[in-house]
Every structure is written in structure tokens, then in C-alpha cells.
Amino acid sequence: MTAEAAREPSTPMQCAAVPGAVLDGPVSHAISRVARLHRIAAGRLLRDLGLHPGQEFLMMHLWDSGAVRQSELIKAVGLDPSTVTKMLQRLEQSGHVRRRPDPADRRASLVEATEASCGLLMAVRGAWGELERQTLDGLDDTERAELGRLLGKVEASLCTTIARSGDAECGTPPQGPLTC
């Protein structure tokens, strides 16, 4: 047996068959499977930075927006308030965020990225660059551009549907970035 043959798996890796219940939604099923795998890959990269999946989105929002009320942050990331609170506690303990009373309303808290988080910003950028490479491996430049274009259309369609139902916002514009 050659060294090259030993490196190749004897059977190609196969994805699970599509369950019968999703026969009317094969694209939605594929998106769900890809999103799950993408999150697993992201989690592995983030673990090396001392982050749990989802914390990077909180940090990205804070780096781009500056100090925001905790309630606005919860709304922007679309997570359960208790989940965001726990994430912020961990990020605060690691020195990446700071919470303080909002001077305009002492009942509310402002959350902001610390200057110490600037190193994390560069590490997260690097991890997301690696995740992008892993995700798009095997696609040529034209396919990558087309995938980005199509996903943008899918996102816009879903955002419109969600906005019409009044369930959530699709995003808020940044207000003032942290300068690292």
C-alpha cells in the first residue's frame, strides 16, 4: 500500500439522506445542514481564541457600534436575554467588554468593547478568514461570487418576510466603531 493510498479514505464521506418530511423543502434542509456544519467549524476556530460560539457576534456588534444599551444589543443579535447576559458575564470576566449604568437612564446598562479587546478583534478576523477559506474550499472565484449573490438574495427575502410579520429586525446600522 502506498503512502498516498493510505491517506485517502476507503469510502468517500457521505451526508445523511434527506428525511421524507423535508421532501418539499430540500433547499431549506440543505441550508440547515450547512449552517450546522458551519457553526461547528466556527466553534472549533473560536475555541482557540477562548470564545464560545455566538460571543463573536456580540463582539462584532460592539466593535462596530460602540457603547449600546444591553437591551439594544439583545435585540440586535436576536438571542434570548438570559443567553446574552451569560455571554456578557463571560466576556466581562475575560476583559473584553465593560458594562456601566446608562447616564441617560440609570435603570439601563451600557455595554462596550474594551481597548483590551482590540487584539481579539484581529484574532476573530483571522478566524473568520480561515472559516471562509474552509467554507469555500473547492469553489472557484465565479462560484464563490455566485454563492454570495444568491445567499444575499435569500437573506433579503427572509428579512422582508420577517420584517412584515413584526417578529424581529434584520439589523441595525452601526453608530460608532471602536478604533483599534
Side-chain angles (χ1 to χ4, degrees), residues 138-159:
L139 299 180
D140 64 33
D141 289 344
T142 303
E143 291 168 325
R144 290 172 185 220
E146 182 68 359
L147 178 61
R149 185 185 73 77
L150 292 172
L151 288 173
K153 287 181 81 169
V154 169
E155 180 182 15
S157 176
L158 289 171
C159 190

Side-chain angles (χ1 to χ4, degrees), residues 107-164:
R107 297 169 297 169
S109 292
L110 288 178
V111 182
E112 61 188 338
T114 63
E115 288 185 30
S117 75
C118 288
L120 184 62
L121 168 61
M122 298 312 294
V124 167
R125 282 183 181 169
W128 274 79
E130 175 59 20
L131 181 60
E132 186 85 352
R133 188 195 64 69
Q134 291 175 11
T135 301
L136 300 177
D137 189 38
L139 299 180
D140 64 33
D141 289 344
T142 303
E143 291 168 325
R144 290 172 185 220
E146 182 68 359
L147 178 61
R149 185 185 73 77
L150 292 172
L151 288 173
K153 287 181 81 169
V154 169
E155 180 182 15
S157 176
L158 289 171
C159 190
T160 299
T161 301
I162 289 168
R164 281 189 194 133

Side-chain angles (χ1 to χ4, degrees), residues 165-176:
S165 71
D167 288 341
E169 291 184 26
C170 291
T172 56
Q175 298 165 346

Side-chain angles (χ1 to χ4, degrees), residues 24-52:
D24 289 340
V27 172
S28 293
H29 187 253
I31 289 171
S32 293
R33 287 191 332 263
V34 168
R36 181 181 142 280
L37 293 169
H38 190 265
R39 184 169 173 85
I40 290 168
R44 288 180 179 159
L45 292 167
L46 293 169
R47 190 175 314 124
D48 294 341
L49 306 179
L51 293 176
H52 297 277

Side-chain angles (χ1 to χ4, degrees), residues 50-52 55 59 84-99 111-112 114 116 120:
L51 293 176
H52 297 277
Q55 288 179 326
M59 293 306 304
V84 173
T85 299
K86 186 168 187 161
M87 287 178 166
L88 288 174
Q89 287 170 345
R90 287 180 174 168
L91 290 167
E92 194 171 30
Q93 288 169 356
S94 63
H96 298 304
V97 301
R98 136 178 71 246
R99 289 188 280 185
V111 182
E112 61 188 338
T114 63
L120 184 62

Side-chain angles (χ1 to χ4, degrees), residues 54-68:
Q55 288 179 326
E56 81 278 20
F57 291 110
L58 289 177
M59 293 306 304
M60 288 176 187
H61 186 79
L62 293 172
W63 287 319
D64 287 348
S65 299
V68 296

